[in-house]
Amino acid sequence: MSIPPDIDNAVDELADLFHLLGDPTRLRIVLACLAQPTAVGDIAGALNLSSSLVSHHLRLLRAARIVKAERQGKQVFYAAADAHISGLLSNMFEHIAEPTTGLDA
């Protein structure tokens, strides 16, 4: 792992990213976009949320470069911004699935 030269700014950005992903609704929205680009209406339907709420969260996630948007005709499809996001989430799910032993190794 390389430490960025502007560590204070990087720490702030990373904390903001984790803060955004710390919201269960936003995390579910990102997970809904991992397998394939997905339209707002499809995300809303799958998560039983309003399209306006999903759009609001997607705007925040997009500003943080967690998801990216691609317009196809009148619809906008959202996907994970890059492999770093999907890898991060995959690693975290693996981490929480590990059995706990109660001992620090």
Side-chain angles (χ1 to χ4, degrees):
M1 179 175 106
S2 63
I3 304 294
D6 184 6
I7 189 71
D8 292 334
N9 188 48
V11 166
D12 289 343
E13 285 186 42
L14 190 57
D16 287 343
L17 182 132
F18 280 119
H19 177 75
L20 285 168
L21 291 174
D23 178 272
T25 299
R26 282 193 289 265
L27 183 55
R28 285 184 180 97
I29 290 169
V30 174
L31 293 173
C33 299
L34 286 183
Q36 63 190 24
T38 309
V40 172
D42 294 335
I43 297 168
L47 301 178
N48 199 27
L49 300 169
S50 72
S51 291
S52 62
L53 179 62
V54 170
S55 292
H56 169 73
H57 285 300
L58 284 167
R59 185 171 55 254
L60 297 172
L61 293 166
R62 197 169 157 205
R65 299 181 309 141
I66 297 171
V67 298
K68 63 183 177 181
E70 182 181 317
R71 182 172 294 280
Q72 294 180 10
K74 290 185 177 187
Q75 284 195 316
V76 178
F77 290 83
Y78 291 87
D82 56 34
H84 296 113
I85 299 298
S86 55
L88 170 77
L89 294 173
S90 176
N91 285 336
M92 290 295 95
F93 276 115
E94 288 175 18
H95 175 71
I96 63 171
E98 290 176 350
T100 57
T101 61
L103 301 174
D104 291 335

